[in-house]
Amino acid sequence: FDTFPETQGITFRIQISVKELLDTDVLLKLLFHLPVNYPSTPPDISVNSDQLTRAQCMDVKDKLLEQAKKHLSEPMVHDLILWIQQHLKYVIKQSATVCNEESTLSKGTSTEDGIWMLLLHLDHMRAKAKYVKTVEKWASDLRLTGRLMFMGKIILILLQGDRSSIKEYLILQKTSKVDVDSSGKKCKEKMISVLCETEVQSQHKRFQTFEVKEYSTWDELQKEFETAGLATLFSEFVPPLLK
């Protein structure tokens, strides 16, 4: 890419092609203007694409600026480019969802577009602090709510959100180096079980946030599920983990 020195910082013009979006390649033209006090101040960003509407370009810009705020005080342009390459289809899907909200409400929601729920069991976390931070970031990026739950040696992740986001989370969980092995070397998560993946029903309570919680007793953990209308889910999948 080219750099254009200016009196007030530097401007990067970058073109990237993002594949597998609605079966076509999308050419994104990104302009990053780095102010003099970058990276303490996020860059100005402009987004153009012949394949996207102006509103979608604005959505991409807004999401990139959101991400930029998470990287303050560290160089971020490269990270932002990688992020949008991985998440463009979700940004576009969400903007399309907003546009179609009225028609969706009148038609009723189809199974594919409904809110889904995922319950995962992890065997262990060696690098707990880093692992927890990673799970929180993924949940935030994919707009998933729920709980990361610790009770004794039991570790559960309960997520709610768009089905596509749930599937993307599973891919990240299985393909990213999220933990360390016994020698301290980064490794992928191999000891993970999908206990349940189902559509959220009317009796289930929606979580508004994603929280990390530790429970000192079995009753406390059970109560968390019961409060969310998930008593059946708990009794079916969680007690066997104690055996």
Side-chain angles (χ1 to χ4, degrees), residues 179-219:
D179 207 359
V180 295
D181 60 20
S182 53
S183 62
K185 189 179 172 187
K186 287 182 181 178
C187 65
K188 293 177 184 175
E189 179 58 75
K190 295 185 179 73
M191 308 280 283
I192 184 171
S193 311
V194 177
L195 300 179
C196 178
E197 186 177 354
T198 182
E199 190 170 14
V200 170
Q201 305 299 320
S202 55
Q203 72 268 26
H204 300 151
K205 185 182 163 194
R206 288 289 311 280
F207 290 108
Q208 298 304 310
T209 56
F210 182 81
E211 293 176 35
V212 180
K213 297 182 85 168
E214 304 222 8
Y215 307 86
S216 51
T217 66
W218 185 253
D219 286 344

Side-chain angles (χ1 to χ4, degrees), residues 112-129:
E112 188 64 25
D113 297 333
I115 300 301
W116 280 67
M117 180 165 56
L118 179 71
L119 181 62
L120 299 172
H121 173 239
L122 297 182
D123 187 71
H124 61 269
M125 282 184 183
R126 283 197 177 92
K128 184 176 174 180

Side-chain angles (χ1 to χ4, degrees), residues 66-157:
E66 264 179 41
Q67 288 302 309
K69 286 174 187 168
K70 298 178 183 177
H71 292 278
L72 287 181
S73 79
E74 59 187 59
M76 65 184 82
V77 172
H78 180 65
D79 286 335
L80 294 178
I81 292 166
L82 289 179
W83 187 87
I84 199 60
Q85 282 178 310
Q86 292 168 354
H87 294 86
L88 181 65
K89 56 187 169 190
Y90 301 104
V91 176
I92 301 310
K93 184 170 185 284
Q94 279 164 353
S95 68
T97 306
V98 173
C99 298
N100 297 331
E101 215 159 50
E102 288 175 27
S103 57
T104 306
L105 288 171
S106 59
K107 290 178 195 167
T109 315
S110 74
T111 304
E112 188 64 25
D113 297 333
I115 300 301
W116 280 67
M117 180 165 56
L118 179 71
L119 181 62
L120 299 172
H121 173 239
L122 297 182
D123 187 71
H124 61 269
M125 282 184 183
R126 283 197 177 92
K128 184 176 174 180
K130 178 181 175 289
Y131 204 133
V132 168
K133 201 173 174 183
T134 302
V135 170
E136 286 180 310
K137 184 179 185 307
W138 288 341
S140 170
D141 289 348
L142 294 167
R143 295 185 178 183
L144 297 171
T145 60
R147 299 284 184 268
L148 169 52
M149 301 178 274
F150 295 93
M151 206 292 292
K153 290 188 175 181
I154 291 177
I155 306 168
L156 298 169
I157 302 176

Side-chain angles (χ1 to χ4, degrees), residues 33 37 136 156 159 165 176 225 241:
H33 177 245
N37 51 353
E136 286 180 310
L156 298 169
L159 297 168
S165 299
S176 305
F225 278 81
L241 301 176

